Amino acid sequence: MPTESSYPRLDIPNIDLWTFLFEREEKKREFPEDKVIYKDPDTNRHYTYAQVRSTALEFGKGLKSVWEWKKGDVLLLYTPNCIDTPAITWGTLWAGGILSPANPGYTVDELAFQLKDSGAKALVTQKAFLSTALEAAKKVGIAEDRIILMGDERDETRQFKHFSAIRNLAGTSRYRKAKIDSKKDLAFLVYSSGTTGHPKGVMLSHSNILSSVTMGNVSEGGNLSWKGQKDNKGDQILAFLPFFHIYGLTCLVHQALFSGWTLVVMPKFDLERFCMHVEKLNITFAYVVPPVVLLLGKSPVVSKYNLSSIRMMNSGAAPLTRDIVDAVWNRLKIPVKQGYGLSETSPTTHTQRWEDWKDSIGSVGRLLPNQTCKYMDAEGKEVPVGQTGELWIKGPNVFQGYLNNPQGTANALTDDGYFKTGDVGHQDEKENFYITDRVKELIKYKGFQVPPAELEGLLLSHPDIDDVAVIGVYYADQATEVPRAFVVPRKGVEAGDSKGQEIVGWLGKKVASHKKLRGGVVFVDEVPKSASGKILRRLLKDRVKEEEKKGQKAKL
């Protein structure tokens, strides 16, 4: 039987996101209007709750006034994290628009693809990214006067308006908030990274995001607060996760405003600055990804700072192993719990509880309210508790489908509303869920399935390894895939055949025969990863193909 969440069911209001966030009765909003929500630690510029609302309202009216913004029009946001992002986001939604955030690391062609696929009517970026934005916009026919700037820098030529100018041009009260059908009308088009082909546009309604925030408040709301911490300023959340990714967009941008947390916004992750901000600003909580947890457990930089103000961290976006969690706990006494979600589920579906994180290390915790899930085998049959299968999830947070991709939507969603996650794992008898790998990333060795993440977790506990990725490499002479490890050695370690063979032998004593590194060890300077911390295995596989063309092959 499918598993229902053990949490009490929540009443999910059938309203749009603007109403949900900004039109609550004051008695239901526990924090004051002058509470600082978003803060830039480098410039000290900030937005209070009231300032976010007024700025968003002015921007929404400006969109209608300047560009005659219509319901369903898409605004694309091409920028690193910035404290202007929330106001621009909700101003777009107030006007009935859809926001599509894009990775600021995109090339011209990658950005042009998202502009065209999403049908974007306009583009917001920062001055440093203007040249790429201009070239991509030109490729898809977006006029230059539909490109505006955000952030601290202005265009000295005055050719490109700042978003604040759009706000100031509103100047009228005749514009009204768009009427929204919460369950049908889209709020966001986020693009999933995907392992092959172009990214897919994930269609998320107002209700999808609203449901996720409401459900997420169950897990963090009782522990994180706007008051009660140092100087009674409330919890300080360090925000470096990209706002263009669903993890940062929901868990940081939305959850902070709903709950009244102060979000200390970093444009991107930098370990030294992360540690510096934690010490200086008494950061109490951080949403992180496994590569960051790994650095906190191993990097010598961390030893220079006092990180004791952190009460808890939550890791997501990729599997987190016990070895990495233990390393941080033993070194810093900082608890790291784990959560799970996907772009298609808005994102969070599971998370470990604060009170018993130690008892369920390695799991992604419990199923959040209002959801049902089950693990399925390759034939589409549900597997019993404890057995491994693909996780399927149903709930109000599940997306509306993939934009312009009916076949992809049909493959991902069942007739009765389950989303096939593509993630492999199992459930234990204590209601803890485990995610061990992606279906498509499992290595098939002579009929046996080998999860790369399991081998990576073990290898990361090796004292001479700083980072690692494992992929399957096909050996035609054996007619099977074999596991190969791409290893970033610790500084000072000699990366040669002898060390590679030592690592192969070390792991071989810890795993079953079919999981041994029969594809050998390759030493690399870094493991390619997405902005959200996922290992980009396809790039490693492309490298292997190129080497095979040249007749190269790692030793067995």
Side-chain angles (χ1 to χ4, degrees):
M1 290 289 291
T3 299
E4 299 276 350
S5 172
S6 58
Y7 287 103
R9 284 192 68 81
L10 301 174
D11 179 25
I12 307 292
N14 188 22
I15 55 177
D16 63 275
L17 274 168
W18 179 276
T19 303
F20 175 68
L21 294 170
F22 294 113
E23 296 181 8
R24 277 184 287 173
E25 295 177 39
E26 194 166 343
K27 63 183 179 182
K28 291 185 178 180
R29 175 173 43 81
E30 297 182 346
F31 53 94
E33 290 209 336
D34 63 356
K35 175 73 174 69
V36 174
I37 305 295
Y38 306 105
K39 179 166 65 178
D40 185 325
D42 297 318
T43 65
N44 287 323
R45 195 159 67 90
H46 68 265
Y47 282 89
T48 64
Y49 174 84
Q51 288 169 337
V52 175
R53 187 184 188 281
S54 62
T55 304
L57 183 59
E58 290 166 2
F59 182 68
K61 288 182 177 182
L63 286 177
K64 289 195 169 192
S65 172
V66 178
W67 290 334
E68 298 182 353
W69 208 255
K70 295 179 177 60
K71 182 177 174 180
D73 283 353
V74 174
L75 181 73
L76 191 139
L77 204 57
Y78 177 60
T79 173
N81 288 0
C82 176
I83 61 170
D84 294 334
T85 295
I88 292 171
T89 296
W90 293 313
T92 304
L93 268 53
W94 181 91
I98 301 166
L99 192 94
S100 186
N103 186 337
Y106 273 172
T107 63
V108 170
D109 287 342
E110 289 169 330
L111 179 58
F113 170 80
Q114 186 167 331
L115 285 167
K116 183 177 181 180
D117 191 66
S118 67
K121 304 293 185 183
L123 170 63
V124 183
T125 189
Q126 293 198 48
K127 184 181 176 183
F129 300 84
L130 190 53
S131 61
T132 300
L134 274 168
E135 196 173 341
K138 185 177 181 180
K139 274 197 164 194
V140 299
I142 293 177
E144 288 189 1
D145 63 2
R146 285 288 181 119
I147 299 174
I148 59 175
L149 299 178
M150 62 187 291
D152 296 304
E153 289 190 274
R154 304 297 198 269
D155 173 30
E156 295 85 355
T157 68
R158 299 188 179 181
Q159 180 182 357
F160 298 98
K161 293 186 178 71
H162 194 265
F163 92 98
S164 56
I166 301 291
R167 288 168 50 202
N168 295 334
L169 289 172
T172 178
S173 61
R174 69 186 178 91
Y175 298 106
R176 297 287 181 267
K177 180 168 73 72
K179 292 182 179 179
I180 297 294
D181 183 329
S182 176
K183 294 183 178 179
K184 292 182 179 179
D185 290 334
L186 301 186
F188 296 96
L189 270 172
V190 299
Y191 278 72
S192 65
S193 53
T195 54
T196 58
H198 286 300
K200 292 179 286 190
V202 178
M203 299 189 291
L204 298 170
S205 69
H206 284 251
S207 184
N208 288 150
I209 301 296
L210 186 154
S211 299
S212 185
V213 173
T214 304
M215 289 154 48
N217 192 54
V218 169
S219 61
E220 313 297 8
N223 299 290
L224 297 175
S225 170
W226 72 273
K227 59 184 177 182
Q229 302 305 316
K230 189 176 178 64
D231 301 326
N232 209 37
K233 292 180 180 178
D235 274 289
Q236 309 279 315
I237 318 296
L238 193 53
F240 64 84
L241 293 177
F243 292 171
F244 65 79
H245 187 270
I246 190 65
Y247 188 7
L249 180 64
T250 303
C251 296
L252 293 173
V253 175
H254 282 81
Q255 197 74 53
L257 190 85
F258 179 76
S259 302
W261 310 333
T262 295
L263 214 61
V264 177
V265 179
M266 296 175 65
K268 62 180 180 179
F269 180 75
D270 175 88
L271 180 61
E272 190 97 39
R273 298 192 71 78
F274 174 94
C275 295
M276 182 181 71
H277 291 325
V278 170
E279 181 177 88
K280 183 178 178 181
L281 301 173
N282 292 296
I283 298 299
T284 57
F285 186 85
Y287 284 101
V288 295
V289 289
V292 172
V293 184
L294 179 64
L295 284 172
L296 292 173
K298 291 200 171 193
S299 174
V301 170
V302 177
S303 300
K304 298 190 295 182
Y305 296 90
N306 179 2
L307 308 185
S308 62
S309 60
I310 298 181
R311 299 192 291 122
M312 175 70 79
M313 292 192 297
N314 183 90
S315 179
L320 182 70
T321 62
R322 172 180 285 274
D323 297 300
I324 303 176
V325 175
D326 286 345
V328 173
W329 176 253
N330 293 335
R331 183 184 192 184
L332 302 171
K333 291 298 180 281
I334 293 176
V336 185
K337 69 184 183 72
Q338 187 172 196
Y340 169 76
L342 309 97
S343 297
E344 291 87 346
T345 56
S346 310
T348 312
T349 60
H350 299 71
T351 190
Q352 286 178 286
R353 300 186 303 182
W354 285 54
E355 60 268 28
D356 57 9
W357 70 277
K358 264 192 172 182
D359 297 330
S360 55
I361 292 177
S363 81
V364 296
R366 300 191 177 196
L367 184 66
L368 289 176
N370 295 48
Q371 299 174 104
T372 306
C373 67
K374 53 188 177 181
Y375 283 105
M376 308 292 285
D377 65 18
E379 284 72 45
K381 296 178 181 178
E382 186 175 359
V383 301
V385 170
Q387 291 190 20
T388 299
E390 179 188 1
L391 182 63
W392 292 13
I393 298 174
K394 179 163 67 174
N397 50 317
V398 171
F399 75 134
Q400 307 300 296
Y402 296 116
L403 182 69
N404 306 324
N405 190 347
Q407 187 61 51
T409 300
N411 291 338
L413 294 170
T414 66
D415 292 338
D416 56 349
Y418 278 95
F419 168 57
K420 303 175 185 179
T421 67
D423 284 322
V424 174
H426 65 276
Q427 176 186 356
D428 68 19
E429 294 180 351
K430 296 180 180 179
E431 299 183 4
N432 294 308
F433 286 73
Y434 294 79
I435 303 296
T436 52
D437 235 306
R438 293 288 295 169
V439 169
K440 293 179 181 178
E441 290 175 354
L442 287 173
I443 300 165
K444 307 283 179 59
Y445 174 71
K446 294 185 177 179
F448 293 96
Q449 293 185 334
V450 182
E454 177 188 343
L455 302 188
E456 289 158 359
L458 289 168
L459 287 165
L460 285 170
S461 68
H462 191 290
D464 292 339
I465 294 177
D466 270 353
D467 204 359
V468 64
V470 175
I471 64 169
V473 178
Y474 188 77
Y475 277 17
D477 56 350
Q478 297 184 47
T480 187
E481 286 185 314
V482 295
R484 178 179 296 174
F486 289 80
V487 169
V488 179
R490 181 174 56 83
K491 189 175 181 180
V493 171
E494 186 176 344
D497 287 345
S498 176
K499 175 55 65 175
Q501 290 169 10
E502 184 263 308
I503 290 171
V504 169
W506 177 87
L507 182 69
K509 296 175 182 177
K510 295 177 177 290
V511 296
S513 177
H514 65 279
K515 296 179 182 179
K516 291 182 178 181
L517 291 175
R518 288 179 167 82
V521 167
V522 176
F523 290 101
V524 294
D525 293 331
E526 64 177 352
V527 171
K529 292 177 183 176
S530 70
S532 63
K534 287 190 174 77
I535 295 171
L536 298 176
R537 300 182 204 278
R538 71 176 185 276
L539 297 183
L540 294 174
K541 290 183 177 181
D542 288 344
R543 169 178 168 161
V544 170
K545 289 178 182 176
E546 287 301 313
E547 290 174 349
E548 287 174 346
K549 288 179 183 177
K550 299 174 184 177
Q552 299 173 357
K553 182 175 175 181
K555 294 179 181 179
L556 287 172

